């Protein structure tokens, strides 16, 4: 069994199209940021009673209209998978070998036995966390975007700058960023090298010069990126901007 982030919403028929479009747009942004090229498939189950088939045709029409409204190219596919019991739009994610796996999806099913009953719209931004995580790691080769990096900023300093380091840590944490502090008893260069190997996106060095000037020496874990001196406010502005641009949850 795979872990999923599936969320379901009970909607009236008149509201279903707007909910489907919103769900597809959320998946599009997630896929564009976190994954590589994908393939969209409109899936039609091949099992079920005649009544279910009749409803499925209505749902398929609504899903197709939502795909066209979002300008998403797709292909139709009939599936016999026992786990797929309702019409859905699946976003197929490729792995490093070019094989496509089922990823994020939107599905529709009836709630109740009447024709005019309410509809349940299910949406999953990731599908399977395991597969999506593997796809993300393959694409970024461990250099995760700031919004999903486990540790976003590493503060590197010596014990003599503990006060300045504590202030920087509290400011960054208060703004909601995931911050780590390297308190190991070793040279600053070794600490920076360790943070680079662990692929921490931002490395902020606090030495004696930085403490006196109330500044940070900032390094981004990118190729050919030069270090520069910034204030804590400059760093916060840069983090907020990058987080909003690269986060799949920012609209």
């Amino acid at each position: 069994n795979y872990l999923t982030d599936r969320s379901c919403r009970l909607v009236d028929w008149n509201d279903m199209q707007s909910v489907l479009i919103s769900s597809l747009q959320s998946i599009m942004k997630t896929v564009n940021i976190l994954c590589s090229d994908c393939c969209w498939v409109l899936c039609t189950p091949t099992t079920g009673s005649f009544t279910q088939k009749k409803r499925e045709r209505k749902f398929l029409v609504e899903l197709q209209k939502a795909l066209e409204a979002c300008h998403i190219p797709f292909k139709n596919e009939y599936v016999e998978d026992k786990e797929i019991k309702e019409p859905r739009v699946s976003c197929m994610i490729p792995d490093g070998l070019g094989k496509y796996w089922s990823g994020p999806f939107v599905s529709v099913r009836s709630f109740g036995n009447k024709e005019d009953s309410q509809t349940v719209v299910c949406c999953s931004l990731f599908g399977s966390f395991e597969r999506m995580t593997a796809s993300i790691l393959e694409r970024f080769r461990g250099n995760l975007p700031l919004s999903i990096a486990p540790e976003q900023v590493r503060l590197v300093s010596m014990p003599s700058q503990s006060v300045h380091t504590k202030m920087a840590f509290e400011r960054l944490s208060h703004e909601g960023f995931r911050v780590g502090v390297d308190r190991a008893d070793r040279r600053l260069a070794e600490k920076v090298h360790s943070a680079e190997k662990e692929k921490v996106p931002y490395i902020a060095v606090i030495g004696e010069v930085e403490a006196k000037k109330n500044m940070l020496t900032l390094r981004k874990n990118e190729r050919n990126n030069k270090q520069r001196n910034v204030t804590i406010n400059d760093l916060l502005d840069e983090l907020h901007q990058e987080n909003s641009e690269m986060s799949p949850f920012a609209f």
Side-chain angles (χ1 to χ4, degrees):
N1 294 328
Y2 293 105
L3 295 173
T4 67
D5 64 334
R6 180 184 301 193
S7 62
C8 298
R9 180 177 175 182
L10 189 63
V11 300
D12 293 326
W13 183 266
N14 294 333
D15 299 328
M16 185 167 65
Q17 192 60 212
S18 62
V19 173
L20 290 176
I21 292 174
S22 176
S23 300
L24 289 174
Q25 289 175 339
S26 299
I27 292 176
M28 288 172 64
K29 184 163 187 178
T30 303
V31 170
N32 288 338
I33 292 173
L34 302 180
C35 303
S36 55
D37 296 335
C38 63
C39 174
W40 295 83
V41 178
L42 180 58
C43 301
T44 303
T46 58
T47 58
S49 65
F50 175 78
T51 304
Q52 289 174 329
K53 292 291 183 183
K54 186 176 180 180
R55 291 178 181 174
E56 284 176 1
R57 284 194 289 270
K58 293 173 61 178
F59 295 152
L60 285 169
V61 170
E62 293 301 313
L63 286 169
Q64 183 170 338
K65 287 168 58 178
L67 285 165
E68 293 172 350
C70 295
H71 305 288
I72 300 175
F74 66 94
K75 64 179 181 179
N76 291 285
E77 188 173 291
Y78 293 92
V79 295
E80 298 181 359
D81 193 334
K82 295 181 179 179
E83 295 183 0
I84 301 179
K85 300 179 181 179
E86 65 277 331
R88 68 165 60 182
V89 173
S90 290
C91 182
M92 309 298 289
I93 306 297
D95 60 17
L97 299 177
K99 183 178 180 180
Y100 281 81
W101 300 87
S102 180
F105 67 87
V106 178
S107 64
V108 184
R109 71 171 186 267
S110 294
F111 182 78
N113 297 321
K114 298 180 180 179
E115 285 292 328
D116 58 349
S117 61
Q118 290 181 304
T119 304
V120 178
V121 176
C122 294
C123 178
S124 173
L125 288 179
F126 300 100
S128 162
F129 282 125
E130 291 89 344
R131 289 176 182 170
M132 183 62 79
T133 300
S135 178
I136 292 170
L137 292 175
E138 275 190 335
R139 177 183 180 186
F140 294 102
R141 299 181 181 179
N143 295 301
L144 299 176
L146 180 68
S147 58
I148 61 173
E151 184 180 351
Q152 296 171 312
V153 183
R154 174 75 59 84
L155 297 178
V156 176
S157 66
M158 299 304 288
S160 57
Q161 284 80 47
S162 58
V163 175
H164 194 75
T165 304
K166 182 180 179 181
M167 291 174 57
F169 176 83
E170 291 176 349
R171 284 288 306 279
L172 292 164
S173 299
H174 181 72
E175 293 288 333
F177 295 104
R178 297 181 288 276
V179 190
V181 181
D182 191 337
R183 296 186 175 89
D185 186 16
R186 51 183 175 173
R187 295 185 300 116
L188 286 176
E190 294 176 338
K191 296 183 179 183
V192 170
H193 181 64
S194 177
E196 290 176 339
K197 287 179 62 179
E198 295 174 27
K199 300 186 183 297
V200 180
Y202 282 83
I203 306 167
V205 179
I206 305 174
E208 293 183 3
V209 177
E210 289 84 1
K212 291 179 181 178
K213 295 181 179 180
N214 201 26
M215 302 279 287
L216 304 168
T217 297
L218 185 65
R219 301 170 63 96
K220 289 187 67 175
N221 198 6
E222 297 176 350
R223 185 175 295 179
N224 301 325
N225 186 71
K226 296 181 180 180
Q227 65 182 30
R228 49 200 166 89
N229 294 326
V230 298
T231 64
I232 187 66
N233 291 329
D234 293 335
L235 175 57
L236 285 170
D237 290 341
E238 184 171 341
L239 291 171
H240 280 300
Q241 181 177 353
E242 182 174 342
N243 213 25
S244 63
E245 291 176 351
M246 293 298 294
S247 174
F249 310 107
F251 293 92

